[in-house]
Amino acid sequence: MSFITWKDSFSVGVPSIDDQHRKLVEMINNLYDEFYKGITDEFLGNLIKELEKYTVYHFSYEEKFMKLYSYNGFKEHKGEHDQFIEQIQGFKTTVSKDNKTAVIDFATFLKNWLLKHIMGTDKKYSKLFSEKELY
Ligand SMILES: [Fe+2]
Ligand SMILES: [Fe+2]
């Protein structure tokens, strides 16, 4: 059983963005699976690096279209993105193969943050992005 199971209800109605969200879910699930197989510091280091790189890409993608379509909630939404990137920095110093609690805290943080952000914040642009026929 996966840590996060993708549900149709997670969709924001924009296929390119849903694909990016699925990729993030996959990365978090990999972290969880690897934890139970016996995680290494190398894996953790790479995962954090990849996650950072991919979230920066994904966040800029959303922000680009929010700006282009003069989305009202831009500032607040970008604030959540920026805060997430900052929070990831904090985990860099705690997460290690010898600190299992920190790894679980990290995975739980990622899962909760992503689902709350998709369902509560990303979904608010659904109507506008769909109207603009963003695919
Ligand atoms: Fe977002
Ligand atoms: Fe998103």
Side-chain angles (χ1 to χ4, degrees):
M1 178 91 178
S2 294
F3 188 44
I4 308 173
T5 307
W6 180 269
K7 294 194 191 83
D8 289 343
S9 61
F10 295 171
S11 173
V12 295
V14 181
S16 57
I17 295 179
D18 285 342
D19 283 348
Q20 292 167 20
H21 287 157
R22 269 197 212 92
K23 164 95 177 152
L24 288 168
V25 164
E26 193 188 301
M27 290 170 105
I28 299 169
N29 281 339
N30 278 345
L31 168 66
Y32 185 80
D33 292 344
E34 207 62 25
F35 178 76
Y36 283 102
K37 274 193 249 163
I39 207 153
T40 63
D41 284 333
E42 194 194 357
F43 177 89
L44 282 167
N46 286 333
L47 180 110
I48 295 177
K49 223 186 285 162
E50 286 299 306
L51 193 72
E52 237 184 319
K53 213 167 82 185
Y54 198 74
T55 44
V56 166
Y57 162 74
H58 168 64
F59 292 165
S60 339
Y61 187 90
E62 289 183 345
E63 288 164 16
K64 179 176 75 186
F65 290 105
M66 283 191 254
K67 255 196 207 157
L68 185 67
Y69 304 144
S70 309
Y71 177 63
N72 268 332
F74 175 78
K75 229 181 121 192
E76 209 187 331
H77 196 137
K78 191 183 184 309
E80 282 189 32
H81 288 169
D82 293 347
Q83 204 194 359
F84 176 84
I85 300 290
E86 241 172 71
Q87 280 170 299
I88 294 285
Q89 309 311 313
F91 282 105
K92 277 185 187 168
T93 51
T94 60
V95 159
S96 85
K97 71 168 174 37
D98 298 321
N99 191 345
K100 305 253 186 287
T101 313
V103 178
I104 286 296
D105 284 351
F106 183 47
T108 307
F109 162 77
L110 293 173
K111 177 182 177 171
N112 292 342
W113 189 91
L114 186 67
L115 296 186
K116 186 168 176 253
H117 185 80
I118 292 175
M119 301 307 277
T121 307
D122 285 348
K123 277 198 184 243
K124 289 184 189 158
Y125 61 52
S126 284
K127 193 171 168 281
L128 177 70
F129 283 10
S130 303
E131 275 168 12
K132 299 288 181 187
E133 293 180 2
L134 177 63
Y135 194 80

